Each structure stands twice: as structure tokens, then as C-alpha cells.
Amino acid sequence: PSDLSPLLLTLIHTHSPSPQNGSNTYESKEKMYNFLQCLVLSTITTILLAFIVTVIICRYHFRTIRKQSIATLNKNSQKKDQNAATTNDKNSLIIAFYHPNCSMGGGGERVLWKAIYVLGDLYRAGMTNINVVVYTKDALSKSYKDDLFQHVKSRFSITVPPSLPLSFVHLHDSVDTSETPKRQSMIAQSAETVKLAWKAMNKLTPHVYIDTTGCAFTFIVAKLLAGCTVAAYVHYPTISTDMLSMVFERRPSYNNDSKITASRITTCIKLIYYTIFAIAYGIVGSMSSLVMVNSTW
């Protein structure tokens, strides 16, 4: 037994952690933590810098398009009316309405054309530096404007002032014109509106952008990237507290399938999805300088 003592002691000392080994382990963990911290910070910084650079480039890009738009609209106004007062490009103001379904006959369209009618009154009152534009998904035709004005007059009893410089930006080549509309989620619909707004801004960039469809995610393009002053009239919001309540109470409806209401788990998942979307909708909606509604929404 006395001969085994040195061997046992050696074995114990071999497997026992030395203070130096513990110190090395701590240092390696600290180095790894510092590395990860630096990696996260550098990634965030890179993303922020890329975002800032993207916004600056887009602002310059759309500023160039805005100057071209002003020159084109003023030139067209002079061709249309030789007696019209000459407007300096620097004093010109382009007011654009985002309303792809402007030829429809609903309440939202009535508000759109009433707003244009009021702008016509302002133009006749001496505000001759304005140019009004409507973004539409309707196809271009020779008689489009005359037919549309006749429809507005018969449907809403609103006569569009003929002296008002009013132009249309046709986006029919950028939308799905199939007779059977596809059923999409709110995220997919919002992504489509952002895509359409991007194409609209690239065709003509205004000073004032007015959304009359409730598509608040278009403000990302109009306000953040193009630098427009944004206003909105919300007839039907993309999401509302009524829709959240319907999901919470598990009531079957057009936006709440009975298959979802039958399960608490799917209801909970959808409620989380709706809540996140509503928060995002509120954030982008806050980019608007003026919001008008037709109810307590």
C-alpha cells in the first residue's frame, strides 16, 4: 500500500484542475463574449449605415424625378391652355392622390373627387401653382379622362373643374388585371401596395402625397424614400380594433375562417399576427402629417 501512495497522488494531481487552467478557461470565455459583442455591434452599425446610404440615394433619385415631373406638367399645362399663367418651376406644387381604383363608385372615391373639386376651387381662387395627379391602375385610352369625368358627374354629382391641371399616372402594367382576384394575406397585400407605390414614384414624384385608400405602408416609399409631405384619408383601414376583437372572440367572418375559430391555438397565433401587424400599421401611419377618417377608427 505504501508503494501505491505516490501513484494515487500523481493521478489525483493529474485530474485536478489547476488554478492556471481555470484562469485560461475564463479568459477564453471572456474573449469569445467580447468577439460576439463586437460582431453584433458591427452588424448593427453596418445595417444602419446601409439604411442611411439607401435613403440618401433614394432621396437624390426621387428629387431628380420630381424636377422632371414639374417641368413636364407645366409644359403640358401651357399646351392645354395658352392663356394659363406661366408658373415658375421652383414655385410649382404637385399634389398626388394614391387611389388605384379611382374609377370605382364607392364612398372612398366620392371623397377623392370631392377633394379634387375643392382643389379646383383653390386653383380658380388664385392658387395657380398647383398640379394635381392621380395614380390609377386603369388602362390608358384616348377618351379615358372624358369618360371618367362623366362617370364622376353622374355617380357623385361632382363636376371636375376643367381649368384644373389634372393628370393621371397609369399603373395598369404593374398590377394583376385578372378577373378573378387572388386571396392574399394582409402582409402580401401591403407588400403589393409598397411595390405599386415605388413604381408610381418612379413615374412621377410629387411634393404632397395623399393616400385615400388606407394603404399606410406606401408611406415608406412616399415619406421615407421620396421625401414627400404625406396626408391620408382612411375610409377602410387595413386593420382595425374591430378585426382584432373578432379574432379574440373567435367569431367566424370574412377575415376569420371557421377553421381558425374552431381552435384556440390557431386563434392565439392569428391574434399575435394581427397584433404585430396592427403595431406596424400604426408605426407607418404615424409618418403622415395629416390623417382624416370617416368614423371613430
Side-chain angles (χ1 to χ4, degrees), residues 9-20:
L9 290 172
T10 303
L11 184 64
I12 292 171
H13 284 300
T14 302
H15 291 277
S16 297
S18 63
Q20 187 175 1

Side-chain angles (χ1 to χ4, degrees), residues 9-252:
L9 290 172
T10 303
L11 184 64
I12 292 171
H13 284 300
T14 302
H15 291 277
S16 297
S18 63
Q20 187 175 1
N21 289 337
S23 177
N24 291 337
T25 304
Y26 175 78
E27 289 179 1
S28 61
K29 287 183 179 179
E30 187 176 12
K31 287 180 180 179
M32 180 60 71
Y33 173 77
N34 291 334
F35 170 76
L36 291 174
Q37 190 177 32
C38 292
L39 182 62
V40 171
L41 289 175
S42 61
T43 302
I44 294 173
T45 303
T46 303
I47 293 173
L48 288 175
L49 287 174
F51 173 75
I52 293 170
V53 170
T54 301
V55 171
I56 292 173
I57 293 173
C58 287
R59 287 286 179 98
Y60 177 79
H61 168 70
F62 286 117
R63 187 180 299 171
T64 303
I65 295 177
R66 184 180 289 115
K67 290 179 181 179
Q68 295 172 353
S69 303
I70 292 171
T72 302
L73 290 174
N74 286 341
K75 186 177 180 180
N76 292 339
S77 296
Q78 287 296 319
K79 286 183 179 180
K80 179 182 176 182
D81 186 2
Q82 297 293 338
N83 298 323
T86 303
T87 304
N88 190 328
D89 287 356
K90 292 183 179 179
N91 297 327
S92 295
L93 180 67
I94 303 176
I95 302 174
F97 290 89
Y98 180 86
H99 204 115
N101 295 313
C102 65
S103 59
M104 300 295 284
E109 286 71 51
R110 177 177 176 80
V111 173
L112 165 69
W113 291 109
K114 191 64 179 179
I116 292 174
Y117 177 83
V118 172
L119 288 174
D121 287 342
L122 294 175
Y123 185 84
R124 288 194 296 264
M127 194 175 174
T128 56
N129 65 323
I130 61 173
N131 282 284
V132 181
V133 175
V134 178
Y135 297 115
T136 176
K137 69 176 185 180
D138 296 335
L140 176 62
S141 64
K142 291 183 179 179
S143 61
Y144 174 77
K145 185 181 285 189
D146 294 335
D147 293 342
L148 180 59
F149 287 179
Q150 184 61 39
H151 167 71
V152 171
K153 184 176 181 180
S154 61
R155 175 67 178 173
F156 304 120
S157 299
I158 297 174
T159 302
V160 180
S163 60
L164 178 68
L166 176 60
S167 305
F168 294 88
V169 175
H170 295 270
L171 305 169
H172 57 284
D173 56 345
S174 304
V175 296
D176 183 11
T177 56
S178 59
E179 294 183 1
T180 306
K182 298 178 181 178
R183 185 174 181 179
Q184 294 179 313
S185 64
M186 291 188 298
I187 292 178
Q189 290 176 354
S190 299
E192 287 294 324
T193 62
V194 172
K195 180 182 176 182
L196 193 62
W198 173 264
K199 292 185 176 181
M201 290 291 147
N202 274 281
K203 286 192 173 185
L204 187 146
T205 306
H207 297 91
V208 180
Y209 173 92
I210 304 175
D211 167 53
T212 50
T213 60
C215 299
F217 286 93
T218 60
F219 301 168
I220 297 172
V221 178
K223 177 72 173 183
L224 189 62
L225 302 182
C228 304
T229 299
V230 172
Y233 167 75
V234 184
H235 197 78
Y236 294 112
T238 306
I239 190 167
S240 64
T241 52
D242 290 346
M243 294 168 65
L244 288 168
S245 298
M246 198 172 293
V247 175
F248 180 76
E249 296 169 4
R250 299 170 66 184
R251 284 184 288 157

